[in-house]
Amino acid sequence: MLTVSNISRVFESETGEVEALRNINLAVRDKEFLCFIGPSGCGKTTLLRIIAGLDQPTSGEVLLDSKKITSPDSERGMVFQEYSLFPWRRIIDNVSFGMELKGVPKHERYETARKFLKMVGLDAFERSYPYELSGGMRQRAAIARALANDPKVLLMDEPFGSVDAQTRNILQGELLRIWNETRKTVLFITHSIDEAMYLADRVVVLSARPGQIREIIEIGLDRPRVRTSVEVNVIRERLLGLLMEERTRGCGETVCWTGLELGSD
């Protein structure tokens, strides 16, 4: 339902051209949970921004249901690493903001917002402000806001990267529960092999810059997964080997990329 065809992205800088992505081709299945991992600087976020319509490729195209993506749209919900909530708006008004822009009546958008606040376990905090919530709760609110617009695809850029390890594990479980309830197609960027193993149907491994698809690994394990099981560890070692190879290759460039989490936080 989502097709990435020959996507390349080159940025202009004071020192010349920087090639971030090169010839990315990918077919994403409907209702799939797809994770992206790779060395820091390999273009993961750039690729997600292109799919979101927030950035334009130098060449190639992205199609959603055979329609070319050229700009942001409510069919693609984005959850960033930072919570990106409006600090002056209560949580229910943050979650209903997209519907407000569409002109949805207040009672209707509040009804929808409350549905998703309940789904993420924040129904008791709808009148709170973001500063009154913990980091994990704010990220749940950001997820509820993205879901409230009923997107076809949920794009998540290291959404749990700024929370502590215990909260991160809890949020991973909550996200899988929500995914099972909504059956949205999810594209999820992470630096953590453990996180990718726990969440994904497939893992896309990107190479060091310029980012290319090094390999796509089908996980093929039932959920919920035991993080320490033999089956999980076999695939984890395979992913780790691929990433270490790319990290070594990346270290041959001017900058040595080290943004790699080898296992559980």
Side-chain angles (χ1 to χ4, degrees):
M1 55 94 72
L2 179 72
T3 305
V4 179
S5 299
N6 298 313
I7 288 293
S8 296
R9 182 66 168 100
V10 177
F11 293 95
E12 298 290 339
S13 72
E14 294 181 357
T15 57
E17 293 186 344
V18 177
E19 188 179 15
L21 296 169
R22 180 186 293 171
N23 296 332
I24 301 293
N25 289 279
L26 180 66
V28 182
R29 306 164 185 161
D30 188 28
K31 303 179 177 62
E32 180 175 26
F33 202 122
L34 192 69
C35 281
F36 294 83
I37 60 173
S40 291
C42 71
K44 298 185 295 296
T45 294
T46 299
L47 178 59
L48 207 69
R49 287 176 58 84
I50 290 172
I51 295 172
L54 297 170
D55 192 11
Q56 297 300 312
T58 304
S59 61
E61 63 180 7
V62 182
L63 303 177
L64 178 59
D65 291 335
S66 302
K67 180 181 177 182
K68 185 176 179 179
I69 293 173
T70 58
S71 62
D73 191 278
S74 60
E75 290 187 334
R76 282 153 282 123
M78 188 85 171
V79 180
F80 300 91
Q81 182 172 349
E82 298 300 325
Y83 314 118
S84 64
L85 299 175
F86 299 122
W88 61 88
R89 295 175 69 105
R90 297 184 188 274
I91 292 301
I92 193 167
D93 293 311
N94 267 286
V95 173
S96 61
F97 179 69
M99 293 178 284
E100 183 179 341
L101 292 179
K102 295 178 182 178
V104 177
K106 186 173 183 179
H107 72 278
E108 185 177 335
R109 63 178 186 259
Y110 271 20
E111 182 180 353
T112 301
R114 289 187 175 107
K115 169 188 171 183
F116 288 102
L117 283 171
K118 184 175 182 179
M119 182 180 290
V120 300
L122 291 179
D123 45 318
F125 298 91
E126 66 172 58
R127 305 301 296 171
S128 300
Y129 288 96
Y131 74 87
E132 297 177 296
L133 304 184
S134 69
M137 294 167 75
R138 278 177 277 178
Q139 198 58 294
R140 291 184 190 188
I143 293 171
R145 181 177 61 182
L147 290 171
N149 288 312
D150 193 26
K152 292 182 179 179
V153 181
L154 187 61
L155 308 172
M156 309 187 79
D157 187 5
E158 296 187 63
F160 308 147
S162 59
V163 299
D164 63 87
Q166 182 179 2
T167 301
R168 187 170 183 166
N169 286 343
I170 292 171
L171 288 174
Q172 289 167 5
E174 288 295 297
L175 178 59
L176 282 181
R177 177 184 59 80
I178 293 167
W179 175 70
N180 275 317
E181 289 183 26
T182 62
R183 302 306 292 176
K184 299 294 183 184
T185 302
V186 178
L187 277 62
F188 188 105
I189 289 177
T190 180
H191 274 113
S192 171
I193 296 174
D194 178 82
E195 189 164 64
M197 285 297 310
Y198 189 73
L199 295 173
D201 293 315
R202 291 188 296 163
V203 178
V204 178
V205 182
L206 293 180
S207 70
R209 190 175 64 183
Q212 303 173 76
I213 294 181
R214 168 69 189 270
E215 194 165 337
I216 301 176
I217 294 179
E218 189 99 33
I219 302 301
L221 299 176
D222 293 336
R223 298 183 178 91
R225 294 168 185 161
V226 179
R227 299 175 193 264
T228 56
S229 71
V230 173
E231 296 82 3
V232 166
N233 280 319
V234 168
I235 303 175
R236 180 188 284 116
E237 286 300 312
R238 183 179 173 190
L239 288 170
L240 177 58
L242 290 169
L243 285 174
M244 291 301 290
E245 288 177 13
E246 290 305 319
R247 179 180 178 272
T248 300
R249 189 169 72 85
C251 284
E253 304 294 335
T254 304
V255 178
C256 179
W257 295 286
T258 57
L260 173 63
E261 297 176 26
L262 304 186
S264 176
D265 304 281

